[in-house]
Amino acid sequence: MINIEKTSGLPIEVTPEYKLKFNPPLREFPLTFARKFSEMVPVLLNPNITAPAEETYFVYRGIHMPEHQQILRAHHLTYDITVIPSFMLGEEFNHTVGHYHAPKPGTNNIAHPEVYEVLHGEALVLLQKMDQNFEKTINVLAVKARTGEKVIYPPNYGHIMINIGSEVLVVANWLSTDYKPLYEPVTQRHGMAYYPVKDEVEGFKFVPNGNYKDTPALRMIDTKFMTLFAVTANRPMYLTGTDDPQSLDFLNNPEKYAVELSGITS
Ligand SMILES: [Fe+2]
């Protein structure tokens, strides 16, 4: 069992079967979904590999202390946890399937951003932006994050969360409940613009996906570019978000934070 109370601010443990155990005063939250290996096959570098397991990661949505239910509902916010075992998918590290978010209605094509926090393990996030028709790749970024670090996914960036460590990766996210995921632009091209692959010297490397043309070079960025947002402070982001839901306003109203959000990628 791995106790993630210190890093999450919530009485939660992770079982050896990669499930969450909720301790009082938290109630039991059901597993929202387990990602099947068969669903990952279309986005893998090598679709012919042997499955490391039938299910490759686990998602729990809408976790909250009883006293926070009303405030989170009123602010259209969800706190979710994803558990990503340190499986290898062939040469590739285990990762989420990848998606974009649909533009927020009433904005000039601005999608909902997202913020992640590493609760246990070693994460690598791949972020990519394409034009509005998903034809041309404009920018590809990657961020490494360790336990306690937060990563903001800027609006309109497709994303995958990658476990590059030898232990299970447990991550939390805050997200608008009004967001809509878009999976097709990633599955159509059999994954993101780069595949995260093991490298004996560097630990990891990115292999370009041939289904994208004229892909720009990938640039590593640092979590320090995200510190304009209070939620990235050195404390569990569940606590920051529930103490002051206004600090998460950028998740629902990204159009008001264009300057701060563009600072992450420039
Ligand atoms: Fe997302």
Side-chain angles (χ1 to χ4, degrees):
M1 237 22 150
I2 297 167
N3 194 323
I4 54 168
E5 177 153 11
K6 232 190 207 153
T7 51
S8 69
L10 292 164
I12 300 175
E13 293 169 273
V14 184
T15 74
E17 294 77 36
Y18 312 114
K19 302 298 187 309
L20 297 185
K21 181 173 176 287
F22 300 94
N23 297 320
L26 271 182
R27 68 164 167 88
E28 193 67 30
F29 291 88
L31 176 70
T32 307
F33 71 88
R35 180 65 70 202
K36 291 197 163 41
F37 174 76
S38 58
E39 297 171 306
M40 290 300 296
V41 168
V43 300
L44 294 180
L45 171 62
N46 180 356
N48 301 314
I49 58 160
T50 309
E54 204 177 314
E55 296 170 334
T56 57
Y57 62 94
F58 306 89
V59 180
Y60 292 80
R61 295 214 189 278
I63 299 166
H64 58 268
M65 294 292 255
E67 64 268 32
H68 296 140
Q69 183 168 5
Q70 291 306 327
I71 195 162
L72 296 184
R73 193 172 289 170
H75 286 269
H76 295 221
L77 292 167
T78 180
Y79 179 90
D80 314 320
I81 293 182
T82 303
V83 181
I84 308 174
S86 63
F87 297 149
M88 292 305 294
L89 306 171
E91 301 164 75
E92 242 178 295
F93 289 105
N94 195 12
H95 59 82
T96 56
V97 70
H99 64 228
Y100 296 81
H101 298 171
K104 177 185 167 184
T107 66
N108 182 22
N109 190 44
I110 300 170
H112 291 101
E114 194 164 1
V115 57
Y116 272 85
E117 175 174 37
V118 180
L119 303 178
H120 184 89
E122 245 183 292
L124 180 66
V125 176
L126 180 62
L127 300 163
Q128 68 182 40
K129 189 176 182 178
M130 297 188 77
D131 65 10
Q132 224 169 318
N133 304 318
F134 295 102
E135 281 162 9
K136 194 174 162 24
T137 318
I138 297 165
N139 201 7
V140 188
L141 305 167
V143 194
K144 256 172 94 164
R146 279 182 290 209
T147 304
E149 290 187 301
K150 285 83 170 167
V151 178
I152 292 173
Y153 298 3
N156 306 88
Y157 275 76
H159 41 268
I160 56 171
M161 174 63 73
I162 307 154
N163 182 354
I164 53 164
S166 54
E167 291 190 32
V168 61
L169 173 64
V170 186
V171 292
N173 68 270
W174 276 118
L175 178 61
S176 165
T177 50
D178 298 333
Y179 103 109
K180 299 266 182 306
L182 289 178
Y183 286 95
E184 296 76 15
V186 177
T187 48
Q188 264 174 11
R189 290 181 192 264
H190 300 287
M192 299 280 280
Y194 291 89
Y195 297 103
V197 167
K198 192 170 192 133
D199 183 87
E200 294 305 335
V201 181
E202 303 289 330
F204 65 87
K205 65 181 176 187
F206 286 104
V207 174
N209 175 346
N211 299 297
Y212 289 78
K213 285 186 195 79
D214 306 319
T215 307
L218 181 149
R219 185 162 58 91
M220 292 295 299
I221 58 169
D222 201 282
T223 54
K224 73 181 180 208
F225 297 115
M226 303 168 189
T227 50
L228 279 174
F229 296 87
V231 71
T232 66
N234 187 19
R235 108 185 253 240
M237 69 173 191
Y238 181 83
L239 303 180
T240 313
T242 50
D243 283 354
D244 179 16
Q246 196 55 33
S247 69
L248 299 176
D249 186 52
F250 71 98
L251 298 175
N252 273 298
N253 296 301
E255 67 278 14
K256 292 189 196 163
Y257 300 86
V259 173
E260 294 90 334
L261 287 163
S262 67
I264 296 170
T265 57
S266 57

